[in-house]
Amino acid sequence: MEGMPHSAEDLLARRTPFQEALAAWYRREARVLPWRTAPSLYKTVVSEFMLQQTQVKTVLPYFARWHQALPDFGALAAAPEAVVLKLWEGLGYYSRARNLRRLAQVLVALPEIPRTTAGWLALPGVGPYTAAAVTSIGFGLPAACVDGNVVRILARLTADHREFRDSATAAKAFAPLAQQLVPARGAGDHNQAMMELGATVCVRQNPLCDRCPVFRFCAAGRAGKPEAYPRLATRPIEKQTVVRIWCESKGALLLHRAQAGARRLAGQHELPTAEQAGLVPAAIAQGPLLARKKRAITRFQIVESIHRAAPPRRLPPDLIWAPLGELDQLVLSGPHRRWIGEILRRPARD
DNA sequence: AACACGGGGTC
DNA sequence: GACCCAGTGTT
Protein backbone atom coordinates (compact mmCIF):
# COMPACT_ATOMS: atom_id res chain seq x y z
CA MET A 1 0.00 0.00 0.00
CA GLU A 2 3.07 2.20 -0.28
CA GLY A 3 2.52 5.48 -2.06
CA MET A 4 -1.23 5.17 -2.01
CA PRO A 5 -3.15 8.37 -1.36
CA HIS A 6 -4.70 9.03 2.03
CA SER A 7 -8.13 8.62 0.49
CA ALA A 8 -7.38 4.92 -0.02
CA GLU A 9 -7.41 4.51 3.75
CA ASP A 10 -10.72 6.37 3.94
CA LEU A 11 -12.16 3.99 1.40
CA LEU A 12 -10.86 0.91 3.21
CA ALA A 13 -12.26 2.20 6.48
CA ARG A 14 -15.70 2.12 4.83
CA ARG A 15 -15.21 -1.00 2.75
CA THR A 16 -18.28 -2.86 3.99
CA PRO A 17 -20.80 -0.14 3.04
CA PHE A 18 -18.89 0.27 -0.25
CA GLN A 19 -19.20 -3.44 -1.03
CA GLU A 20 -22.89 -3.41 -0.12
CA ALA A 21 -23.71 -0.38 -2.25
CA LEU A 22 -21.89 -1.90 -5.21
CA ALA A 23 -23.52 -5.30 -4.76
CA ALA A 24 -27.03 -3.81 -4.52
CA TRP A 25 -26.43 -1.88 -7.73
CA TYR A 26 -25.13 -4.97 -9.51
CA ARG A 27 -28.12 -7.08 -8.49
CA ARG A 28 -30.30 -4.37 -10.01
CA GLU A 29 -28.34 -3.39 -13.11
CA ALA A 30 -26.23 -6.35 -14.25
CA ARG A 31 -26.47 -6.79 -18.00
CA VAL A 32 -27.88 -10.05 -19.25
CA LEU A 33 -24.95 -11.76 -20.98
CA PRO A 34 -24.76 -15.24 -22.48
CA TRP A 35 -21.99 -16.36 -20.13
CA ARG A 36 -24.03 -15.23 -17.12
CA THR A 37 -27.21 -17.17 -17.89
CA ALA A 38 -26.74 -20.84 -17.04
CA PRO A 39 -23.07 -20.21 -16.26
CA SER A 40 -20.42 -22.91 -16.45
CA LEU A 41 -16.68 -23.00 -15.97
CA TYR A 42 -16.25 -23.42 -19.73
CA LYS A 43 -18.38 -20.37 -20.54
CA THR A 44 -16.51 -18.36 -17.95
CA VAL A 45 -13.13 -19.32 -19.36
CA VAL A 46 -14.09 -18.74 -23.00
CA SER A 47 -15.71 -15.39 -22.28
CA GLU A 48 -12.76 -14.22 -20.20
CA PHE A 49 -10.30 -15.09 -22.97
CA MET A 50 -12.41 -13.27 -25.52
CA LEU A 51 -12.77 -10.29 -23.22
CA GLN A 52 -9.02 -9.81 -22.91
CA GLN A 53 -8.56 -6.43 -24.58
CA THR A 54 -11.90 -6.69 -26.33
CA GLN A 55 -15.21 -5.08 -25.43
CA VAL A 56 -18.36 -6.99 -24.54
CA LYS A 57 -20.30 -5.77 -27.55
CA THR A 58 -17.63 -7.06 -29.93
CA VAL A 59 -17.40 -10.41 -28.19
CA LEU A 60 -21.11 -11.26 -28.17
CA PRO A 61 -21.51 -12.68 -31.73
CA TYR A 62 -18.18 -14.52 -31.51
CA PHE A 63 -19.11 -16.11 -28.21
CA ALA A 64 -22.42 -17.41 -29.56
CA ARG A 65 -20.83 -18.92 -32.65
CA TRP A 66 -17.98 -20.41 -30.66
CA HIS A 67 -20.16 -22.00 -28.04
CA GLN A 68 -22.30 -23.59 -30.70
CA ALA A 69 -19.31 -25.06 -32.56
CA LEU A 70 -17.22 -26.02 -29.52
CA PRO A 71 -19.57 -26.57 -26.58
CA ASP A 72 -17.08 -27.83 -24.01
CA PHE A 73 -13.39 -28.26 -23.14
CA GLY A 74 -13.31 -31.69 -24.78
CA ALA A 75 -14.57 -30.40 -28.12
CA LEU A 76 -12.14 -27.49 -28.01
CA ALA A 77 -9.19 -29.70 -27.10
CA ALA A 78 -9.95 -32.02 -30.02
CA ALA A 79 -10.56 -29.29 -32.61
CA PRO A 80 -7.87 -28.60 -35.24
CA GLU A 81 -6.13 -25.28 -34.73
CA ALA A 82 -7.38 -24.04 -38.11
CA VAL A 83 -10.98 -24.53 -36.98
CA VAL A 84 -10.30 -22.63 -33.79
CA LEU A 85 -8.60 -19.77 -35.64
CA LYS A 86 -11.46 -19.64 -38.12
CA LEU A 87 -13.93 -19.13 -35.28
CA TRP A 88 -11.67 -16.40 -33.90
CA GLU A 89 -11.19 -14.68 -37.26
CA GLY A 90 -11.69 -10.93 -36.86
CA LEU A 91 -11.36 -10.82 -33.06
CA GLY A 92 -7.65 -10.09 -33.11
CA TYR A 93 -4.91 -11.11 -30.68
CA TYR A 94 -4.96 -14.59 -32.20
CA SER A 95 -2.56 -16.00 -29.62
CA ARG A 96 -5.57 -15.90 -27.29
CA ALA A 97 -7.27 -18.50 -29.47
CA ARG A 98 -4.22 -20.74 -29.63
CA ASN A 99 -3.69 -20.39 -25.88
CA LEU A 100 -7.33 -21.17 -25.18
CA ARG A 101 -7.07 -24.35 -27.23
CA ARG A 102 -3.84 -25.32 -25.47
CA LEU A 103 -5.49 -24.61 -22.13
CA ALA A 104 -8.34 -26.97 -23.02
CA GLN A 105 -5.83 -29.66 -23.96
CA VAL A 106 -3.99 -29.23 -20.65
CA LEU A 107 -7.21 -29.27 -18.61
CA VAL A 108 -8.48 -32.39 -20.36
CA ALA A 109 -5.19 -34.18 -19.69
CA LEU A 110 -5.04 -33.12 -16.03
CA PRO A 111 -6.35 -35.55 -13.36
CA GLU A 112 -8.46 -32.71 -12.00
CA ILE A 113 -9.12 -29.07 -12.75
CA PRO A 114 -7.06 -26.71 -10.56
CA ARG A 115 -9.06 -25.04 -7.81
CA THR A 116 -6.66 -22.33 -6.73
CA THR A 117 -5.80 -18.97 -8.25
CA ALA A 118 -2.11 -19.89 -8.33
CA GLY A 119 -2.95 -23.16 -10.05
CA TRP A 120 -4.79 -21.31 -12.82
CA LEU A 121 -2.03 -18.74 -13.13
CA ALA A 122 0.29 -21.53 -14.24
CA LEU A 123 -1.93 -22.47 -17.19
CA PRO A 124 -1.30 -21.26 -20.75
CA GLY A 125 -2.86 -17.91 -21.63
CA VAL A 126 -3.86 -17.28 -18.02
CA GLY A 127 -2.36 -14.18 -16.43
CA PRO A 128 -3.22 -12.44 -13.16
CA TYR A 129 -6.46 -11.02 -14.47
CA THR A 130 -7.86 -14.24 -15.93
CA ALA A 131 -6.73 -16.37 -12.97
CA ALA A 132 -8.64 -14.04 -10.63
CA ALA A 133 -11.68 -13.88 -12.90
CA VAL A 134 -12.01 -17.63 -13.40
CA THR A 135 -11.42 -18.62 -9.79
CA SER A 136 -13.60 -15.89 -8.29
CA ILE A 137 -16.50 -16.39 -10.70
CA GLY A 138 -16.11 -20.14 -11.03
CA PHE A 139 -15.13 -21.15 -7.49
CA GLY A 140 -15.91 -18.12 -5.34
CA LEU A 141 -12.27 -17.59 -4.37
CA PRO A 142 -11.51 -14.07 -3.05
CA ALA A 143 -9.09 -12.95 -5.78
CA ALA A 144 -9.27 -9.42 -7.18
CA CYS A 145 -9.60 -8.76 -10.91
CA VAL A 146 -7.60 -5.70 -11.88
CA ASP A 147 -8.42 -4.65 -15.42
CA GLY A 148 -8.63 -1.24 -17.04
CA ASN A 149 -12.06 -0.66 -15.54
CA VAL A 150 -10.93 -1.41 -12.01
CA VAL A 151 -7.86 0.80 -12.37
CA ARG A 152 -10.05 3.68 -13.50
CA ILE A 153 -12.55 3.23 -10.69
CA LEU A 154 -9.90 2.95 -7.98
CA ALA A 155 -7.92 5.91 -9.32
CA ARG A 156 -11.09 8.00 -9.18
CA LEU A 157 -12.32 6.73 -5.82
CA THR A 158 -8.98 7.72 -4.30
CA ALA A 159 -8.21 10.69 -6.60
CA ASP A 160 -4.80 9.15 -7.15
CA HIS A 161 -2.69 11.80 -8.84
CA ARG A 162 0.27 9.53 -9.67
CA GLU A 163 1.16 9.24 -13.33
CA PHE A 164 1.65 5.66 -14.51
CA ARG A 165 3.81 4.86 -17.49
CA ASP A 166 1.29 2.35 -18.82
CA SER A 167 -1.80 0.43 -17.84
CA ALA A 168 0.15 -2.63 -16.68
CA THR A 169 2.09 -0.51 -14.19
CA ALA A 170 -1.14 1.06 -12.98
CA ALA A 171 -2.76 -2.35 -12.54
CA LYS A 172 0.14 -3.50 -10.42
CA ALA A 173 -0.07 -0.37 -8.28
CA PHE A 174 -3.78 -0.80 -7.61
CA ALA A 175 -3.72 -4.55 -7.02
CA PRO A 176 -3.30 -4.32 -3.22
CA LEU A 177 -6.22 -1.92 -2.83
CA ALA A 178 -8.37 -3.97 -5.19
CA GLN A 179 -7.57 -7.09 -3.19
CA GLN A 180 -8.58 -5.50 0.11
CA LEU A 181 -11.92 -4.47 -1.33
CA VAL A 182 -12.88 -8.02 -2.30
CA PRO A 183 -15.45 -9.46 0.11
CA ALA A 184 -14.88 -12.89 1.64
CA ARG A 185 -18.13 -14.08 0.10
CA GLY A 186 -19.43 -13.12 -3.33
CA ALA A 187 -16.04 -12.31 -4.84
CA GLY A 188 -17.16 -13.26 -8.34
CA ASP A 189 -20.09 -10.87 -8.31
CA HIS A 190 -17.96 -8.18 -6.69
CA ASN A 191 -15.38 -8.43 -9.47
CA GLN A 192 -18.01 -8.43 -12.17
CA ALA A 193 -19.76 -5.49 -10.49
CA MET A 194 -16.55 -3.45 -10.48
CA MET A 195 -15.94 -4.12 -14.17
CA GLU A 196 -19.59 -3.56 -15.05
CA LEU A 197 -19.52 -0.23 -13.24
CA GLY A 198 -16.43 0.77 -15.19
CA ALA A 199 -17.93 -0.32 -18.49
CA THR A 200 -21.31 1.35 -18.05
CA VAL A 201 -21.10 4.19 -15.48
CA CYS A 202 -17.52 5.07 -14.54
CA VAL A 203 -16.55 5.29 -18.21
CA ARG A 204 -13.45 7.07 -19.40
CA GLN A 205 -15.13 10.13 -20.86
CA ASN A 206 -18.31 11.71 -19.53
CA PRO A 207 -18.78 9.35 -16.58
CA LEU A 208 -22.37 9.13 -15.34
CA CYS A 209 -21.67 10.17 -11.75
CA ASP A 210 -25.34 10.93 -11.09
CA ARG A 211 -26.05 7.23 -11.58
CA CYS A 212 -23.08 5.94 -9.62
CA PRO A 213 -23.93 3.74 -6.64
CA VAL A 214 -20.63 4.56 -4.93
CA PHE A 215 -20.41 8.28 -5.64
CA ARG A 216 -20.37 9.04 -1.93
CA PHE A 217 -17.10 7.11 -1.64
CA CYS A 218 -15.47 8.90 -4.59
CA ALA A 219 -12.82 11.55 -3.93
CA ALA A 220 -12.51 12.53 -7.60
CA GLY A 221 -16.28 12.74 -7.99
CA ARG A 222 -16.53 15.03 -4.97
CA ALA A 223 -13.79 17.24 -6.40
CA GLY A 224 -15.76 17.41 -9.63
CA LYS A 225 -13.08 16.05 -11.95
CA PRO A 226 -13.32 12.30 -12.29
CA GLU A 227 -12.12 12.42 -15.90
CA ALA A 228 -8.69 13.55 -14.73
CA TYR A 229 -8.05 9.98 -13.48
CA PRO A 230 -6.28 7.73 -13.99
CA ARG A 231 -3.21 9.58 -15.22
CA LEU A 232 -1.53 7.41 -17.84
CA ALA A 233 1.45 8.50 -19.90
CA THR A 234 0.83 8.40 -23.62
CA ARG A 235 3.31 7.06 -26.09
CA PRO A 236 3.79 8.66 -29.48
CA ILE A 237 2.04 7.09 -32.44
CA GLU A 238 4.32 5.70 -35.15
CA LYS A 239 3.30 5.93 -38.76
CA GLN A 240 4.15 3.26 -41.31
CA THR A 241 3.36 2.57 -44.92
CA VAL A 242 3.04 -0.87 -46.46
CA VAL A 243 2.85 -1.70 -50.16
CA ARG A 244 0.91 -4.87 -51.00
CA ILE A 245 0.35 -6.66 -54.26
CA TRP A 246 -2.80 -7.94 -55.90
CA CYS A 247 -1.88 -10.86 -58.15
CA GLU A 248 -4.81 -12.62 -59.70
CA SER A 249 -4.34 -15.38 -62.22
CA LYS A 250 -6.43 -18.28 -63.46
CA GLY A 251 -9.10 -17.77 -60.82
CA ALA A 252 -6.63 -17.71 -57.94
CA LEU A 253 -5.27 -14.96 -55.74
CA LEU A 254 -1.72 -14.80 -54.40
CA LEU A 255 -1.67 -14.71 -50.60
CA HIS A 256 0.97 -14.76 -47.90
CA ARG A 257 0.59 -17.29 -45.13
CA ALA A 258 2.25 -16.42 -41.82
CA GLN A 259 4.13 -19.43 -40.50
CA ALA A 260 2.70 -21.31 -37.55
CA GLY A 261 5.39 -19.96 -35.25
CA ALA A 262 5.20 -16.38 -36.51
CA ARG A 263 4.93 -13.68 -33.92
CA ARG A 264 1.85 -12.16 -35.46
CA LEU A 265 -1.03 -13.60 -37.47
CA ALA A 266 0.41 -17.12 -37.18
CA GLY A 267 -1.29 -19.42 -39.65
CA GLN A 268 -3.29 -16.62 -41.20
CA HIS A 269 -3.35 -15.22 -44.70
CA GLU A 270 -3.00 -11.68 -45.98
CA LEU A 271 -2.27 -10.08 -49.31
CA PRO A 272 1.52 -10.29 -49.75
CA THR A 273 3.65 -7.24 -49.14
CA ALA A 274 5.99 -6.30 -51.94
CA GLU A 275 8.91 -7.55 -49.85
CA GLN A 276 7.26 -10.90 -49.18
CA ALA A 277 6.85 -11.30 -52.93
CA GLY A 278 10.51 -10.45 -53.48
CA LEU A 279 9.60 -7.20 -55.23
CA VAL A 280 10.69 -3.61 -54.78
CA PRO A 281 7.99 -1.59 -52.99
CA ALA A 282 8.79 1.64 -54.81
CA ALA A 283 8.41 -0.10 -58.15
CA ILE A 284 5.14 -1.80 -57.19
CA ALA A 285 3.79 1.52 -55.94
CA GLN A 286 4.05 2.83 -59.51
CA GLY A 287 1.54 0.21 -60.64
CA PRO A 288 -2.27 0.56 -60.68
CA LEU A 289 -3.65 1.38 -57.24
CA LEU A 290 -6.60 -0.81 -56.29
CA ALA A 291 -7.13 0.42 -52.74
CA ARG A 292 -5.58 2.50 -50.01
CA LYS A 293 -6.43 1.42 -46.48
CA LYS A 294 -5.61 2.51 -42.97
CA ARG A 295 -5.32 0.29 -39.94
CA ALA A 296 -4.12 0.85 -36.41
CA ILE A 297 -2.17 -1.80 -34.55
CA THR A 298 -1.21 -0.97 -30.98
CA ARG A 299 0.67 2.31 -31.34
CA PHE A 300 1.28 2.02 -35.07
CA GLN A 301 -0.78 3.74 -37.70
CA ILE A 302 -0.34 1.91 -40.95
CA VAL A 303 -1.33 3.06 -44.40
CA GLU A 304 -1.50 0.11 -46.77
CA SER A 305 -1.77 0.49 -50.52
CA ILE A 306 -2.76 -2.43 -52.72
CA HIS A 307 -1.35 -2.42 -56.24
CA ARG A 308 -1.95 -4.73 -59.12
CA ALA A 309 1.24 -6.57 -60.01
CA ALA A 310 2.36 -9.28 -62.37
CA PRO A 311 2.74 -12.75 -60.85
CA PRO A 312 6.29 -13.53 -59.74
CA ARG A 313 8.16 -16.01 -61.88
CA ARG A 314 8.97 -18.29 -58.98
CA LEU A 315 6.76 -18.60 -55.96
CA PRO A 316 8.57 -17.09 -52.95
CA PRO A 317 8.39 -18.94 -49.61
CA ASP A 318 5.10 -18.71 -47.68
CA LEU A 319 3.20 -17.47 -50.72
CA ILE A 320 0.32 -19.57 -52.01
CA TRP A 321 -2.16 -19.42 -54.86
CA ALA A 322 -5.60 -19.42 -53.26
CA PRO A 323 -8.49 -20.36 -55.54
CA LEU A 324 -11.08 -17.57 -55.32
CA GLY A 325 -13.81 -20.11 -54.61
CA GLU A 326 -11.96 -21.36 -51.55
CA LEU A 327 -11.16 -18.04 -49.89
CA ASP A 328 -13.98 -18.57 -47.38
CA GLN A 329 -12.25 -21.63 -45.99
CA LEU A 330 -8.96 -19.88 -45.35
CA VAL A 331 -8.26 -17.92 -42.22
CA LEU A 332 -7.65 -14.31 -43.17
CA SER A 333 -7.02 -11.34 -40.95
CA GLY A 334 -10.26 -9.41 -40.48
CA PRO A 335 -9.31 -6.33 -42.50
CA HIS A 336 -7.87 -8.33 -45.37
CA ARG A 337 -11.02 -10.43 -45.61
CA ARG A 338 -12.97 -7.20 -45.99
CA TRP A 339 -10.57 -5.56 -48.41
CA ILE A 340 -10.32 -8.59 -50.66
CA GLY A 341 -14.09 -8.94 -50.68
CA GLU A 342 -14.46 -5.28 -51.62
CA ILE A 343 -12.06 -5.55 -54.52
CA LEU A 344 -13.56 -8.81 -55.77
CA ARG A 345 -17.04 -7.33 -55.78
CA ARG A 346 -16.03 -4.47 -58.05
CA PRO A 347 -17.78 -4.64 -61.43
CA ALA A 348 -14.70 -4.46 -63.62
CA ARG A 349 -11.49 -5.63 -62.06
CA ASP A 350 -9.70 -5.83 -65.39
C1' DA B 1 10.24 -3.03 -17.29
C1' DA B 2 9.32 -2.62 -22.09
C1' DC B 3 7.29 -4.29 -25.99
C1' DA B 4 4.30 -6.71 -29.47
C1' DC B 5 -0.06 -8.14 -30.53
C1' DG B 6 -5.43 -6.86 -34.08
C1' DG B 7 -9.49 -5.10 -34.24
C1' DG B 8 -13.37 -2.31 -33.01
C1' DG B 9 -15.57 1.39 -30.16
C1' DT B 10 -15.96 6.16 -28.89
C1' DC B 11 -15.89 11.02 -28.57
C1' DG C 1 -7.46 11.25 -35.14
C1' DA C 2 -6.33 9.91 -30.62
C1' DC C 3 -7.18 7.01 -27.09
C1' DC C 4 -9.27 3.02 -24.89
C1' DC C 5 -10.74 -1.86 -24.19
C1' DA C 6 -12.91 -7.99 -18.89
C1' DG C 7 -4.24 -8.74 -20.77
C1' DT C 8 -0.66 -12.20 -21.82
C1' DG C 9 3.81 -13.79 -23.39
C1' DT C 10 8.41 -12.73 -24.52
C1' DT C 11 12.66 -10.43 -24.07
Side-chain angles (χ1 to χ4, degrees):
Chain A
M1 306 293 280
E2 229 52 46
M4 204 110 76
H6 179 259
S7 44
E9 293 168 27
D10 291 347
L11 178 60
L12 284 171
R14 296 186 288 160
R15 57 176 247 169
T16 303
F18 171 85
Q19 290 163 346
E20 286 170 355
L22 181 66
W25 171 84
Y26 185 67
R27 282 194 294 273
R28 213 166 55 237
E29 302 286 344
R31 290 171 289 182
V32 176
L33 299 172
W35 47 90
R36 288 181 179 165
T37 54
S40 69
L41 183 65
Y42 181 67
K43 287 183 195 173
T44 301
V45 169
V46 171
S47 63
E48 289 304 339
F49 268 68
M50 288 186 171
L51 288 165
Q52 291 169 9
Q53 297 296 90
T54 306
Q55 295 180 345
V56 167
K57 188 179 172 184
T58 308
V59 162
L60 286 174
Y62 286 90
F63 182 86
R65 208 173 31 159
W66 180 287
H67 194 262
Q68 188 136 26
L70 305 171
D72 51 42
F73 285 118
L76 172 54
E81 186 176 88
V83 168
V84 170
L85 284 175
K86 186 72 188 168
L87 286 164
W88 204 271
E89 183 185 84
L91 257 187
Y93 286 109
Y94 298 92
S95 62
R96 290 183 295 173
R98 292 194 299 277
N99 286 338
L100 181 51
R101 175 167 168 270
R102 271 207 298 148
L103 171 62
Q105 292 173 336
V106 170
L107 288 179
V108 166
L110 241 39
E112 52 190 286
I113 290 182
R115 292 228 158 224
T116 65
T117 306
W120 275 82
L121 196 48
L123 298 171
V126 178
Y129 166 79
T130 306
V134 169
T135 59
S136 67
I137 297 170
F139 309 133
L141 299 183
C145 293
V146 189
D147 71 341
N149 291 308
V150 173
V151 166
R152 188 169 55 254
I153 292 168
L154 295 181
R156 288 174 177 174
L157 284 170
T158 62
D160 195 321
H161 65 272
R162 287 177 290 176
E163 181 176 274
F164 302 99
R165 68 165 303 283
D166 59 29
S167 53
T169 307
K172 198 178 289 186
F174 283 109
L177 177 57
Q179 187 58 50
Q180 297 202 59
L181 288 173
V182 175
R185 276 186 292 278
D189 280 350
H190 170 86
N191 281 328
Q192 294 192 78
M194 289 285 280
M195 297 188 282
E196 186 100 351
L197 186 68
T200 63
V201 173
C202 195
V203 292
R204 183 170 63 97
Q205 291 168 323
N206 304 319
L208 310 175
C209 293
D210 54 340
R211 289 197 222 164
C212 181
V214 292
F215 181 81
R216 68 180 195 273
F217 303 92
C218 186
R222 268 198 303 281
K225 35 182 190 178
E227 294 183 81
Y229 307 92
R231 296 187 55 209
L232 292 171
T234 60
R235 286 182 61 194
I237 304 279
E238 258 186 63
K239 306 196 182 221
Q240 294 181 357
T241 60
V242 175
V243 176
R244 296 191 184 267
I245 61 167
W246 181 277
C247 269
E248 197 181 337
S249 173
K250 298 175 192 163
L253 183 63
L254 196 58
L255 293 178
H256 175 264
R257 181 183 190 280
Q259 294 202 329
R263 194 209 281 277
R264 70 179 275 270
L265 298 175
Q268 294 193 74
H269 302 80
E270 290 196 327
L271 291 171
T273 64
E275 289 92 337
Q276 286 163 352
L279 301 166
V280 181
I284 296 301
Q286 303 295 314
L289 175 67
L290 290 178
R292 186 187 290 286
K293 299 291 183 183
K294 292 182 183 177
R295 65 204 294 208
I297 299 174
T298 316
R299 62 188 182 83
F300 300 99
Q301 276 197 357
I302 308 168
V303 178
E304 310 202 14
S305 58
I306 302 169
H307 298 264
R308 185 183 296 287
R313 293 213 127 94
R314 307 175 54 112
L315 203 59
D318 299 333
L319 263 55
I320 61 154
W321 285 107
L324 293 179
E326 296 172 19
L327 283 185
D328 283 350
Q329 291 143 50
L330 293 179
V331 185
L332 301 179
S333 76
H336 279 240
R337 174 162 296 286
R338 274 203 317 280
W339 301 348
I340 292 170
E342 273 176 40
I343 294 172
L344 286 177
R345 276 194 303 277
R346 287 179 190 169
R349 294 204 305 285
D350 314 318

